[in-house]
Amino acid sequence: MAGAPPPVIALNAVRLALSAHRPRRESPAGAHAAAVALILVTAPDGLETLFIRRAVRVGDPWSGQVALPGGRRDPVDVDLEATAIRETQEELAVDLARAERLGALDDISPRTQLLPPVFVRPFIFALPDRPPLTPSPEVQSAFWAPLARFLLPGVRCDVTLPVPGGERTFPAYVLGQDIIWGMTEGILSSFMSVISAAR
């Protein structure tokens, strides 16, 4: 017997939830500032969000991982929202300058000291439809995923992955061959918690 279909998440519900959310800010001593863009589009079955697969690169601690477009703040950026917009343009040739700004989530930092000291500020944007994607050399590929899929039973689970020094178990979202873990899992879980509280 087939399970119930996933609930549809509407853009208005996301707007309402984020308008009431007061994101937590942190600036750990010595940490680099970074920002990512969680980009939403409305599809027939509800909202979808955009992920990238980072290119496999020697020396990149996030090499090959599923992530959100974004990166470290550059001196040219007036603020971290500008960082998210610039990085999305550079990585995917997607212009967020006229996208709807829905809000931001809590700052997040790596859970392990094996990664560079950084804090990441996630910004939420909405576009009217899927834009053309032109991945840069930093990006292996990109894909859209329905938000409702992350609410299905079994999609969020613990996975054991190889990391420097051995193996560790992490909470993750498993979408077929794609595993969303680390800070991206933390950002997505924070987002789903915020919008679920308003449903």
Side-chain angles (χ1 to χ4, degrees):
M1 180 177 173
V8 173
I9 301 173
L11 184 57
N12 279 340
V14 175
R15 288 190 183 106
L16 178 64
L18 288 171
S19 69
H21 180 63
R22 298 296 173 260
R24 183 183 68 250
R25 296 292 174 238
E26 59 180 63
S27 302
H32 297 284
V36 296
L38 196 158
I39 303 166
L40 303 172
V41 297
T42 300
D45 294 326
L47 292 176
E48 296 180 338
T49 191
L50 179 62
F51 295 95
I52 63 172
R53 296 182 191 90
R54 295 179 64 90
V56 176
R57 302 169 67 191
V58 175
D60 179 1
W62 295 280
S63 174
Q65 292 185 19
V66 175
L68 298 168
R72 288 187 181 185
R73 184 173 183 175
D74 189 276
V76 303
D77 300 328
V78 295
D79 54 24
L80 283 172
E81 185 178 77
T83 300
I85 292 171
R86 175 185 54 76
E87 286 282 341
T88 301
Q89 177 70 47
E90 291 177 1
E91 292 182 347
L92 296 170
V94 172
D95 185 5
L96 295 177
R98 296 186 179 180
E100 180 181 358
R101 274 83 154 175
L102 298 176
L105 300 174
D106 296 348
D107 292 352
I108 187 171
S109 297
R111 299 168 182 149
T112 172
Q113 294 184 350
L114 296 175
L115 292 172
V118 64
F119 74 91
V120 178
R121 185 163 299 168
F123 292 91
I124 318 301
F125 300 87
L127 292 171
D129 46 40
R130 289 186 179 186
L133 304 177
T134 307
S136 74
E138 298 178 40
V139 177
Q140 177 181 314
S141 58
F143 65 95
W144 295 89
L147 276 185
R149 190 171 176 186
F150 297 103
L151 298 175
L152 291 174
V155 171
R156 190 169 188 270
C157 58
D158 290 341
V159 298
T160 300
L161 299 169
V163 295
E167 292 186 336
R168 285 186 58 195
T169 299
F170 302 89
Y173 293 93
V174 179
L175 305 180
Q177 298 299 310
D178 294 307
I179 300 175
I180 300 171
W181 62 287
M183 284 197 291
T184 305
E185 178 277 328
I187 293 167
L188 186 57
S189 291
S190 173
F191 177 66
M192 299 304 292
S193 176
V194 169
I195 64 176
S196 293
R199 290 174 58 239

